[in-house]
Amino acid sequence: MPRKEQGWVTFQTSEEERKILEEFCNNSQRTKTEILRELVRGLNKYSSPPVPLPTKEDAHTSEVEIISQKKPLKVSSRNILKGVVKRVVTGSVNTEVTLEIVHKVELTSMITKVSAEELELAEGAEAYAVIKSNDIVIARE
């Protein structure tokens, strides 16, 4: 049950929209709440909605309830360090990403250019260094 200062949002989706959301959640190993909260937070980037909102006629009986409760990133690696992106050097195929973990402690990782774009890595963004064996991968909520 959410705390009093937290809120509930309930809305209807079509069966197709619900399936898309559930498949995305399964593939990304994140909850519906996490995905929808991220989408809502991204709305402040726009002065108007980027796509037309569905009308009542578009919706069917499936409902999604959002409870304001953040869950941690699900990763099998045990060495996860939160940091801030200090540098992003994009090449033709790979991108070099440097995170500052604590003051003057930096980790650098080479990831694909596509991964860096999908993670929307930019200087000042929070991200995670996920250390597995001798590799360091970058993750973001």
Side-chain angles (χ1 to χ4, degrees):
M1 207 51 135
R3 295 186 205 129
K4 286 186 179 182
E5 66 272 8
Q6 295 176 327
W8 288 69
V9 176
T10 302
F11 63 96
Q12 294 182 330
T13 65
S14 69
E15 186 68 20
E16 181 182 354
E17 292 166 335
R18 185 187 57 76
K19 285 179 182 177
I20 291 169
L21 178 59
E22 287 176 353
E23 184 178 327
F24 188 86
C25 290
N26 287 335
N27 290 339
S28 66
Q29 295 184 327
R30 297 185 335 202
T31 65
K32 293 174 190 171
T33 299
E34 292 169 325
I35 301 300
L36 296 171
R37 186 181 291 125
E38 184 178 320
L39 290 170
V40 169
R41 287 178 180 158
L43 294 176
N44 64 6
K45 297 177 186 175
Y46 303 97
S47 58
S48 61
V51 293
L53 297 173
T55 64
K56 228 176 183 179
E57 293 76 36
D58 295 332
H60 295 286
T61 58
S62 297
E63 292 186 1
V64 177
E65 291 183 346
I66 303 170
I67 302 171
S68 297
Q69 182 180 22
K70 189 172 185 177
K71 291 190 178 182
L73 181 68
K74 294 179 182 178
V75 178
S76 63
S77 299
R78 295 291 153 234
N79 301 309
I80 303 172
L81 305 172
K82 187 173 184 178
V84 175
V85 178
K86 290 291 280 189
R87 280 183 304 283
V88 178
V89 181
T90 304
S92 58
V93 176
N94 291 326
T95 298
E96 182 180 290
V97 181
T98 301
L99 297 182
E100 183 175 59
I101 305 306
V102 293
H103 183 66
K104 294 192 178 186
V105 175
E106 297 180 351
L107 294 173
T108 301
S109 177
M110 291 295 289
I111 62 175
T112 65
K113 183 178 177 181
V114 171
S115 292
E117 290 168 355
E118 288 176 356
L119 290 170
E120 298 177 351
L121 295 173
E123 288 184 23
E126 286 185 349
Y128 297 86
V130 181
I131 303 168
K132 181 75 173 178
S133 185
N134 61 350
D135 291 328
I136 299 174
V137 297
I138 304 296
R140 186 162 179 228
E141 291 182 316

